[in-house]
Amino acid sequence: MGLLESVLHAAPVMPVVVIEDAKHAVALARALVAGGLPAIEVTLRTRAALDAVRAIAAEVEGAIVGVGTVRKPQDLADAMQAGARFAISPGSTPSLIAAAKDSPLPWLPGAATATEAMTLAEHGFEYQKFFPAEAAGGAAALRSLHGPLPDIRFCATGGIGTHNARDYLDTPNVACVGGSWLTPSRLVATEEWGAIEALARAATLLRA
Ligand code: 3PG
């Protein structure tokens, strides 16, 4: 099993995390790992993101930390340097595709259409992020893509929560789903790690 494949199969759900303050990173990641979700995507949407990745990579046993919202080649280099084990993008660009092919860091590029998925597969990326999942047609769209593109596997994210995750996870080309519902900003700000661990534990039960 390739590294990306094992990351995507580590649990049914990958938490998509926005960390405003790096001081929360270690406790937050420990709560997710304790709840059964070891693969964590830390989005590059805040200034604290890379420091958070660094802290999780160094201090949280059992965590497999990656960087999300990768939009340019430099983000891939920064992610590697911070100790990320994988990188995720909401889409793909020619420069990112070229950089990812040159980088040892496993990369999950984003696709929302058959053309995007086919283009990425041509470049050798058979694991992709289906984003924005709900807005792009949801689990029904993924089932439609499975017919002509049975070799491509997706991590679906965007608009997914406990109300619809099962529908995605029942779809044959879905390796996992991702979402921000595991780490609501209110619980992070108030450091309610037990509540986050409980959300993670509930998420592990989503796959039948
Ligand atoms: C992502 O980057 O994957 C999405 O922003 C997560 O989407 P969600 O907030 O709807 O879960």
Side-chain angles (χ1 to χ4, degrees), residues 1-22:
M1 197 184 276
L3 192 51
L4 200 50
E5 191 180 358
S6 59
V7 167
L8 297 183
H9 286 100
V13 179
M14 184 179 317
V16 177
V17 178
V18 178
I19 298 184
E20 298 291 347
D21 188 334

PDB file of all heavy atoms in Angstrom, residues 1-22:
ATOM      1  N   MET A   1       0.850  -1.206   0.000  1.00  0.00           N
ATOM      2  CA  MET A   1       0.000   0.000   0.000  1.00  0.00           C
ATOM      3  C   MET A   1       0.877   1.244   0.000  1.00  0.00           C
ATOM      4  O   MET A   1       1.822   1.342   0.773  1.00  0.00           O
ATOM      5  CB  MET A   1      -0.887  -0.031   1.261  1.00  0.00           C
ATOM      6  CG  MET A   1      -2.080   0.897   1.192  1.00  0.00           C
ATOM      7  SD  MET A   1      -3.077   0.956   2.726  1.00  0.00           S
ATOM      8  CE  MET A   1      -4.151  -0.452   2.541  1.00  0.00           C
ATOM      9  N   GLY A   2       0.586   2.197  -0.895  1.00  0.00           N
ATOM     10  CA  GLY A   2       1.345   3.441  -0.924  1.00  0.00           C
ATOM     11  C   GLY A   2       1.038   4.291   0.293  1.00  0.00           C
ATOM     12  O   GLY A   2       0.054   4.050   0.993  1.00  0.00           O
ATOM     13  N   LEU A   3       1.882   5.291   0.528  1.00  0.00           N
ATOM     14  CA  LEU A   3       1.711   6.120   1.716  1.00  0.00           C
ATOM     15  C   LEU A   3       0.378   6.864   1.692  1.00  0.00           C
ATOM     16  O   LEU A   3      -0.358   6.896   2.689  1.00  0.00           O
ATOM     17  CB  LEU A   3       2.877   7.113   1.818  1.00  0.00           C
ATOM     18  CG  LEU A   3       2.995   7.846   3.139  1.00  0.00           C
ATOM     19  CD1 LEU A   3       2.958   6.882   4.314  1.00  0.00           C
ATOM     20  CD2 LEU A   3       4.270   8.659   3.167  1.00  0.00           C
ATOM     21  N   LEU A   4       0.048   7.431   0.539  1.00  0.00           N
ATOM     22  CA  LEU A   4      -1.208   8.180   0.446  1.00  0.00           C
ATOM     23  C   LEU A   4      -2.404   7.251   0.683  1.00  0.00           C
ATOM     24  O   LEU A   4      -3.340   7.600   1.405  1.00  0.00           O
ATOM     25  CB  LEU A   4      -1.302   8.835  -0.937  1.00  0.00           C
ATOM     26  CG  LEU A   4      -2.250  10.007  -1.084  1.00  0.00           C
ATOM     27  CD1 LEU A   4      -2.040  11.046  -0.004  1.00  0.00           C
ATOM     28  CD2 LEU A   4      -2.068  10.638  -2.455  1.00  0.00           C
ATOM     29  N   GLU A   5      -2.310   6.068   0.095  1.00  0.00           N
ATOM     30  CA  GLU A   5      -3.382   5.088   0.261  1.00  0.00           C
ATOM     31  C   GLU A   5      -3.557   4.744   1.743  1.00  0.00           C
ATOM     32  O   GLU A   5      -4.674   4.674   2.253  1.00  0.00           O
ATOM     33  CB  GLU A   5      -3.020   3.837  -0.556  1.00  0.00           C
ATOM     34  CG  GLU A   5      -4.135   2.857  -0.690  1.00  0.00           C
ATOM     35  CD  GLU A   5      -3.705   1.634  -1.510  1.00  0.00           C
ATOM     36  OE1 GLU A   5      -2.552   1.585  -1.982  1.00  0.00           O
ATOM     37  OE2 GLU A   5      -4.538   0.730  -1.653  1.00  0.00           O
ATOM     38  N   SER A   6      -2.449   4.549   2.446  1.00  0.00           N
ATOM     39  CA  SER A   6      -2.578   4.178   3.858  1.00  0.00           C
ATOM     40  C   SER A   6      -3.096   5.359   4.687  1.00  0.00           C
ATOM     41  O   SER A   6      -3.849   5.158   5.642  1.00  0.00           O
ATOM     42  CB  SER A   6      -1.273   3.626   4.416  1.00  0.00           C
ATOM     43  OG  SER A   6      -0.258   4.556   4.292  1.00  0.00           O
ATOM     44  N   VAL A   7      -2.732   6.575   4.310  1.00  0.00           N
ATOM     45  CA  VAL A   7      -3.265   7.748   5.018  1.00  0.00           C
ATOM     46  C   VAL A   7      -4.781   7.813   4.835  1.00  0.00           C
ATOM     47  O   VAL A   7      -5.537   8.021   5.788  1.00  0.00           O
ATOM     48  CB  VAL A   7      -2.614   9.054   4.489  1.00  0.00           C
ATOM     49  CG1 VAL A   7      -3.375  10.282   4.969  1.00  0.00           C
ATOM     50  CG2 VAL A   7      -1.153   9.142   4.899  1.00  0.00           C
ATOM     51  N   LEU A   8      -5.227   7.596   3.601  1.00  0.00           N
ATOM     52  CA  LEU A   8      -6.658   7.746   3.311  1.00  0.00           C
ATOM     53  C   LEU A   8      -7.482   6.590   3.884  1.00  0.00           C
ATOM     54  O   LEU A   8      -8.691   6.716   4.046  1.00  0.00           O
ATOM     55  CB  LEU A   8      -6.893   7.865   1.803  1.00  0.00           C
ATOM     56  CG  LEU A   8      -6.244   9.097   1.151  1.00  0.00           C
ATOM     57  CD1 LEU A   8      -6.594   9.173  -0.316  1.00  0.00           C
ATOM     58  CD2 LEU A   8      -6.667  10.382   1.850  1.00  0.00           C
ATOM     59  N   HIS A   9      -6.819   5.486   4.178  1.00  0.00           N
ATOM     60  CA  HIS A   9      -7.549   4.363   4.761  1.00  0.00           C
ATOM     61  C   HIS A   9      -7.322   4.246   6.272  1.00  0.00           C
ATOM     62  O   HIS A   9      -7.750   3.273   6.890  1.00  0.00           O
ATOM     63  CB  HIS A   9      -7.170   3.057   4.049  1.00  0.00           C
ATOM     64  CG  HIS A   9      -7.785   2.953   2.687  1.00  0.00           C
ATOM     65  ND1 HIS A   9      -7.089   3.224   1.536  1.00  0.00           N
ATOM     66  CD2 HIS A   9      -9.044   2.671   2.294  1.00  0.00           C
ATOM     67  CE1 HIS A   9      -7.902   3.082   0.485  1.00  0.00           C
ATOM     68  NE2 HIS A   9      -9.085   2.748   0.921  1.00  0.00           N
ATOM     69  N   ALA A  10      -6.654   5.220   6.861  1.00  0.00           N
ATOM     70  CA  ALA A  10      -6.371   5.144   8.299  1.00  0.00           C
ATOM     71  C   ALA A  10      -7.656   5.209   9.123  1.00  0.00           C
ATOM     72  O   ALA A  10      -7.730   4.649  10.213  1.00  0.00           O
ATOM     73  CB  ALA A  10      -5.427   6.276   8.699  1.00  0.00           C
ATOM     74  N   ALA A  11      -8.661   5.901   8.610  1.00  0.00           N
ATOM     75  CA  ALA A  11      -9.945   6.055   9.308  1.00  0.00           C
ATOM     76  C   ALA A  11     -10.974   6.495   8.278  1.00  0.00           C
ATOM     77  O   ALA A  11     -10.600   6.989   7.211  1.00  0.00           O
ATOM     78  CB  ALA A  11      -9.819   7.101  10.422  1.00  0.00           C
ATOM     79  N   PRO A  12     -12.267   6.346   8.582  1.00  0.00           N
ATOM     80  CA  PRO A  12     -13.257   6.788   7.587  1.00  0.00           C
ATOM     81  C   PRO A  12     -13.276   8.296   7.377  1.00  0.00           C
ATOM     82  O   PRO A  12     -13.721   8.770   6.332  1.00  0.00           O
ATOM     83  CB  PRO A  12     -14.597   6.300   8.159  1.00  0.00           C
ATOM     84  CG  PRO A  12     -14.338   5.847   9.542  1.00  0.00           C
ATOM     85  CD  PRO A  12     -12.870   5.638   9.714  1.00  0.00           C
ATOM     86  N   VAL A  13     -12.792   9.037   8.371  1.00  0.00           N
ATOM     87  CA  VAL A  13     -12.896  10.497   8.301  1.00  0.00           C
ATOM     88  C   VAL A  13     -11.540  11.153   8.556  1.00  0.00           C
ATOM     89  O   VAL A  13     -10.814  10.754   9.473  1.00  0.00           O
ATOM     90  CB  VAL A  13     -13.905  11.034   9.354  1.00  0.00           C
ATOM     91  CG1 VAL A  13     -13.994  12.555   9.283  1.00  0.00           C
ATOM     92  CG2 VAL A  13     -15.278  10.415   9.146  1.00  0.00           C
ATOM     93  N   MET A  14     -11.212  12.141   7.721  1.00  0.00           N
ATOM     94  CA  MET A  14     -10.018  12.941   7.965  1.00  0.00           C
ATOM     95  C   MET A  14     -10.451  14.337   8.439  1.00  0.00           C
ATOM     96  O   MET A  14     -11.114  15.059   7.701  1.00  0.00           O
ATOM     97  CB  MET A  14      -9.180  13.083   6.695  1.00  0.00           C
ATOM     98  CG  MET A  14      -7.906  13.827   7.028  1.00  0.00           C
ATOM     99  SD  MET A  14      -6.777  14.055   5.673  1.00  0.00           S
ATOM    100  CE  MET A  14      -6.748  12.517   4.852  1.00  0.00           C
ATOM    101  N   PRO A  15     -10.072  14.698   9.669  1.00  0.00           N
ATOM    102  CA  PRO A  15     -10.420  16.034  10.141  1.00  0.00           C
ATOM    103  C   PRO A  15      -9.694  17.106   9.309  1.00  0.00           C
ATOM    104  O   PRO A  15      -8.492  16.998   9.067  1.00  0.00           O
ATOM    105  CB  PRO A  15      -9.910  16.065  11.590  1.00  0.00           C
ATOM    106  CG  PRO A  15      -9.624  14.648  11.944  1.00  0.00           C
ATOM    107  CD  PRO A  15      -9.349  13.919  10.679  1.00  0.00           C
ATOM    108  N   VAL A  16     -10.448  18.107   8.882  1.00  0.00           N
ATOM    109  CA  VAL A  16      -9.882  19.275   8.184  1.00  0.00           C
ATOM    110  C   VAL A  16      -9.858  20.394   9.227  1.00  0.00           C
ATOM    111  O   VAL A  16     -10.908  20.833   9.700  1.00  0.00           O
ATOM    112  CB  VAL A  16     -10.759  19.669   6.982  1.00  0.00           C
ATOM    113  CG1 VAL A  16     -10.201  20.917   6.310  1.00  0.00           C
ATOM    114  CG2 VAL A  16     -10.844  18.518   5.976  1.00  0.00           C
ATOM    115  N   VAL A  17      -8.641  20.793   9.604  1.00  0.00           N
ATOM    116  CA  VAL A  17      -8.488  21.635  10.784  1.00  0.00           C
ATOM    117  C   VAL A  17      -7.982  23.023  10.411  1.00  0.00           C
ATOM    118  O   VAL A  17      -7.055  23.163   9.615  1.00  0.00           O
ATOM    119  CB  VAL A  17      -7.482  20.957  11.751  1.00  0.00           C
ATOM    120  CG1 VAL A  17      -7.248  21.815  12.967  1.00  0.00           C
ATOM    121  CG2 VAL A  17      -7.971  19.577  12.156  1.00  0.00           C
ATOM    122  N   VAL A  18      -8.606  24.034  11.000  1.00  0.00           N
ATOM    123  CA  VAL A  18      -8.119  25.412  10.873  1.00  0.00           C
ATOM    124  C   VAL A  18      -7.612  25.816  12.255  1.00  0.00           C
ATOM    125  O   VAL A  18      -8.398  25.875  13.208  1.00  0.00           O
ATOM    126  CB  VAL A  18      -9.254  26.363  10.425  1.00  0.00           C
ATOM    127  CG1 VAL A  18      -8.752  27.803  10.347  1.00  0.00           C
ATOM    128  CG2 VAL A  18      -9.830  25.928   9.074  1.00  0.00           C
ATOM    129  N   ILE A  19      -6.307  26.019  12.377  1.00  0.00           N
ATOM    130  CA  ILE A  19      -5.735  26.341  13.692  1.00  0.00           C
ATOM    131  C   ILE A  19      -5.345  27.815  13.731  1.00  0.00           C
ATOM    132  O   ILE A  19      -4.473  28.256  12.989  1.00  0.00           O
ATOM    133  CB  ILE A  19      -4.529  25.430  14.006  1.00  0.00           C
ATOM    134  CG1 ILE A  19      -4.995  23.979  14.059  1.00  0.00           C
ATOM    135  CG2 ILE A  19      -3.878  25.838  15.338  1.00  0.00           C
ATOM    136  CD1 ILE A  19      -3.935  22.977  14.441  1.00  0.00           C
ATOM    137  N   GLU A  20      -6.021  28.548  14.589  1.00  0.00           N
ATOM    138  CA  GLU A  20      -5.750  29.994  14.701  1.00  0.00           C
ATOM    139  C   GLU A  20      -4.552  30.264  15.597  1.00  0.00           C
ATOM    140  O   GLU A  20      -3.850  31.247  15.408  1.00  0.00           O
ATOM    141  CB  GLU A  20      -6.978  30.728  15.273  1.00  0.00           C
ATOM    142  CG  GLU A  20      -8.232  30.630  14.415  1.00  0.00           C
ATOM    143  CD  GLU A  20      -8.136  31.409  13.105  1.00  0.00           C
ATOM    144  OE1 GLU A  20      -7.209  32.227  12.952  1.00  0.00           O
ATOM    145  OE2 GLU A  20      -9.001  31.176  12.232  1.00  0.00           O
ATOM    146  N   ASP A  21      -4.336  29.382  16.579  1.00  0.00           N
ATOM    147  CA  ASP A  21      -3.267  29.603  17.550  1.00  0.00           C
ATOM    148  C   ASP A  21      -2.495  28.284  17.714  1.00  0.00           C
ATOM    149  O   ASP A  21      -3.080  27.278  18.134  1.00  0.00           O
ATOM    150  CB  ASP A  21      -3.895  30.020  18.884  1.00  0.00           C
ATOM    151  CG  ASP A  21      -2.842  30.467  19.891  1.00  0.00           C
ATOM    152  OD1 ASP A  21      -1.675  30.021  19.777  1.00  0.00           O
ATOM    153  OD2 ASP A  21      -3.190  31.244  20.791  1.00  0.00           O
ATOM    154  N   ALA A  22      -1.199  28.318  17.365  1.00  0.00           N
ATOM    155  CA  ALA A  22      -0.409  27.077  17.380  1.00  0.00           C
ATOM    156  C   ALA A  22      -0.352  26.437  18.765  1.00  0.00           C
ATOM    157  O   ALA A  22      -0.077  25.240  18.881  1.00  0.00           O
ATOM    158  CB  ALA A  22       1.007  27.356  16.863  1.00  0.00           C
TER     159      ALA A  22
END
